[in-house]
Amino acid sequence: MIYLNERDLELIGINWAELARVIEEASAAFAAEECAQPIKPYLKYGNERNRIIAMPAYVSRPVRAAGLKWIASFPGNIDMGLPRANSVTVLNDPDTGVPTALIQGSLISAIRTAAVSGALLRKLVTGGERPLRVALIGMGPIGRMHVHMLNGLLSSRISRIVAFDRRDIDVVEWLNGVPVTIPVEKAATWQDAYRGADVVFTCTAAPERYIDEAAAPGTILMHVSLRDYHLTALSNVGTTIVDSWEEVCRADTDTERLHLSAGLQEKDTMTLSEAIALPLEQVIRAEGPTLFTPMGLAVFDVAVAAHYANAAVRLGVGKRLE
């Protein structure tokens, strides 16, 4: 098999337009039931906040592949100077089951997460001319990767990014290595970033909900971290988009709380594949914000990993293991 670490992925590079197309095709395949993906199990022990998640899947397109992402999320690592998330992804030949690739590190997972956001967001802001202000709450690796994606995919639509984190993070140091053309400024509070934003990304490991203000109609809420909003702050949402209702309506996500306490049902939501395929006027409702709550699908992880494994073979990157 071929072995890739994060340095190998950096050598291959990040083409956000290509990655968005990978997500779009994999999402269409998932909607057409051309994929296999069991509900991912959570391994939990000790600290309730910690979890290790197994994410197996088979995806039919754009690259046929089977595989598994095994990812640990330990939020307390941040306070010890360690990455919150650590993962390894293995790919198998879909016809023989023979392992073909092993990808180490969480960079591939962060790339997938931002690529999913990019695939939807470029659809939601298509055709507009007014420059957009983006709020980014959570200045960790996932937030940083979203800045990378916004610059690579939507720099012509975004005028500035206002970022906030509860930690005292130096913006210049945080963005080191990220090709930035969109100005990034740091906010003193989440409210300063959130209020007046056209697009809000939540990319935190927050132990408690903290957003208690409803966003203005027309705002796009890219709720990557899933557990940031009080229910009252989501009471005026117009359209709720999910990658998979079955996956996201559990594990104490804000979506599950909306289901249990406010009566949100699967029929009230729109899938990612529908949002990408439908005319924009059928997706965004003028009366409220648009909320995207992606749990993260294994089919996307396998598709993105296969994309990089194929590129590695083509470019001669990585190590051959026997």
Side-chain angles (χ1 to χ4, degrees), residues 181-195:
T181 57
I182 304 169
V184 180
E185 59 188 76
K186 187 176 176 180
T189 66
W190 70 261
Q191 291 94 333
D192 290 340
Y194 180 81
R195 292 169 182 165

Side-chain angles (χ1 to χ4, degrees), residues 293-310:
T293 61
M295 179 61 96
L297 300 187
V299 293
F300 297 152
D301 289 289
V302 170
V304 169
H307 173 80
Y308 271 93
N310 285 356

